[in-house]
Amino acid sequence: MPFCLSLNCSRFTARNQTHLCPIAHVRSRSFTVKSRATIAGKSDMAASTVRVAAAQMTSVNDLAANFATCSRLAKEAAAAGAKLLCLPESFSFIGAKDGDSVKVAEPLDGPIMQQYCSLARESGIWLSLGGFQEKGCDDEHLRNTHVIVDDSGSIRDTYRKIFLFDVDVPGGRVYKESSFTEAGKDIVTVDSPVGCLGLSVCYDLRFPELYQQLRFQHEAQVLLVPAAFTKITGQAHWEILLRARAIETQCYVIAAAQAGKHNDKRESHGETLIIDPWGTVVGRLPDRLSTGITVADIDLALIDSVRAKMPIAQQRKPIDFWKSSSV
Ligand SMILES: O=C(O)CNC(=O)[C@H](CS)NC(=O)CCC(=O)C(=O)O
């Protein structure tokens, strides 16, 4: 019964996580894979698993300092055996005042992205670079772009954030991302060694229809949600929304988060998470730990068995059903 076995293993892993340092995560992961193979009495049980890492960091208004942090984390993830490292939204820069991020925005073939492509090649790891400040069509606008770079340093695809954060946060400040950002309009999936990746960024998380499209129209297996959630909204909604997306799409969800204080005015809710398609948290970095990685093994067989046993893809209603049933 590989289905039950995998679920048990996931629960076991979640309970036994330690948050003291990233290396502790690595140890508990290796143990899980080994114990599953032992319990099953089969040495090839781990064949469908691929290791991934998700980072947490506190980006500041210093491109070089953020790159140094990302380099260290990429090397740590590669040493832990991860094939993909997911970095949070605004990994390369978070400005101290309005307008800073538009000033540093560059095209995808500019020096900043080239540096991250070299990092992927030198570390031999795929990178999910969520929330890159890509230069827009004029000097006043950027695109909030999620870039997937493969382990040879080539850009495989890019997704531009569709839903922009124009929100009056209760008890917080007013955000108007659309004042300096061009919204994307295309849904993007990318084939990778860890399965079919479904791309999104931060505030997109609140729009389940995007993830329904990624899973049911574009066959995503692993949803990526790099973010810089606000302290207030993150505490209230972050983990619940992520687990809901994993459960309702039967996908893994990898959510790399900014954490801590970036400057006097801005603080993010950390809690980087990796969630399996049953909704179990299999990797976590607590909010108080500002920089590090967590790793988990993506089990493609678990995705298949969750989907086979609870066949929601076949049980969904076509859009016409809702039209004809409405009053
Ligand atoms: O501007 C930057 O530097 C990077 N971009 C962001 O931080 C974006 C837009 S301001 N933040 C969010 O989408 C937060 C969403 C959120 O917190 C929620 O949905 O509750």
Side-chain angles (χ1 to χ4, degrees):
M1 288 275 287
F3 178 59
C4 295
L5 189 61
S6 301
L7 291 179
N8 288 341
C9 284
S10 301
R11 287 204 191 98
F12 176 86
T13 312
R15 269 205 309 272
N16 281 279
Q17 273 170 29
T18 45
H19 306 301
L20 298 176
C21 72
I23 298 303
H25 283 277
V26 175
R27 286 210 192 99
S28 82
R29 291 289 150 238
S30 324
F31 178 69
T32 306
V33 173
K34 221 188 290 165
S35 68
R36 184 192 311 177
T38 314
I39 295 165
K42 273 166 114 187
S43 57
D44 64 348
M45 271 303 284
S48 70
T49 69
V50 191
R51 189 162 290 182
V52 294
Q56 183 154 298
M57 64 190 290
T58 314
S59 293
V60 291
N61 60 343
D62 180 337
L63 288 161
N66 299 328
F67 183 72
T69 303
C70 293
S71 299
R72 179 164 67 75
L73 297 175
K75 293 197 167 106
E76 237 174 76
K83 297 283 172 252
L84 165 73
L85 169 65
C86 300
L87 292 167
E89 185 182 26
S90 307
F91 58 96
S92 67
F93 187 84
I94 286 191
K97 51 183 188 329
D98 290 350
D100 281 0
S101 53
V102 176
K103 277 188 219 139
V104 301
E106 277 186 7
L108 293 169
D109 59 2
I112 300 176
M113 191 45 67
Q114 261 172 27
Q115 215 178 9
Y116 282 89
C117 290
S118 303
L119 175 63
R121 190 180 60 245
E122 283 157 19
S123 312
I125 194 166
W126 284 56
L127 293 176
S128 150
L129 302 167
F132 174 65
Q133 289 94 356
E134 182 192 1
K135 198 165 168 32
C137 64
D138 60 39
D139 287 345
E140 276 76 56
H141 291 86
L142 53 73
R143 302 182 177 110
N144 195 336
T145 303
H146 186 163
V147 184
I148 301 293
V149 180
D150 70 19
D151 57 0
S152 71
S154 303
I155 293 178
R156 284 293 176 107
D157 218 329
T158 57
Y159 161 81
R160 277 89 183 222
K161 188 182 190 188
I162 293 176
F163 295 101
L164 302 180
F165 193 49
D166 289 356
V167 173
D168 179 355
V169 173
R173 44 171 277 227
V174 176
Y175 293 81
K176 196 145 178 51
E177 191 177 17
S178 66
S179 67
F180 60 95
T181 309
E182 290 164 29
K185 52 181 175 41
D186 297 322
I187 294 176
V188 179
T189 54
V190 184
D191 282 325
S192 82
V194 307
C196 179
L197 307 173
L199 306 194
S200 65
V201 178
C202 201
Y203 188 55
D204 283 336
L205 175 60
R206 294 180 182 275
F207 300 86
E209 58 271 31
L210 170 62
Y211 301 90
Q212 295 282 303
Q213 289 286 324
L214 285 167
R215 152 81 212 266
F216 296 112
Q217 310 300 327
H218 299 266
E219 293 171 15
Q221 293 168 304
V222 179
L223 302 172
L224 306 182
V225 192
F229 250 54
T230 72
K231 197 87 200 157
I232 293 169
T233 57
Q235 276 168 351
H237 301 153
W238 171 247
E239 179 164 350
I240 297 166
L241 289 173
L242 289 166
R243 292 186 66 194
R245 293 301 88 84
I247 294 165
E248 70 202 6
T249 60
Q250 303 173 316
C251 287
Y252 277 89
V253 169
I254 306 177
Q258 289 284 348
K261 271 182 101 66
H262 309 282
N263 53 56
D264 287 350
K265 282 184 282 188
R266 188 157 170 183
E267 187 174 4
S268 295
H269 175 72
E271 203 89 27
T272 287
L273 292 171
I274 304 177
I275 304 164
D276 80 10
W278 190 244
T280 307
V281 174
V282 293
R284 181 194 295 275
L285 288 165
D287 186 30
R288 76 190 127 76
L289 185 81
S290 63
T291 306
I293 59 164
T294 181
V295 303
D297 294 315
I298 300 290
D299 183 352
L300 296 173
L302 176 62
I303 301 176
D304 291 344
S305 66
V306 167
R307 293 179 180 185
K309 293 191 181 233
M310 196 182 278
I312 57 173
Q314 289 78 49
Q315 293 162 341
R316 299 164 75 232
K317 300 294 183 201
I319 202 78
D320 288 346
F321 172 87
W322 300 109
K323 283 186 192 139
S324 61
S325 71
S326 62
V327 283

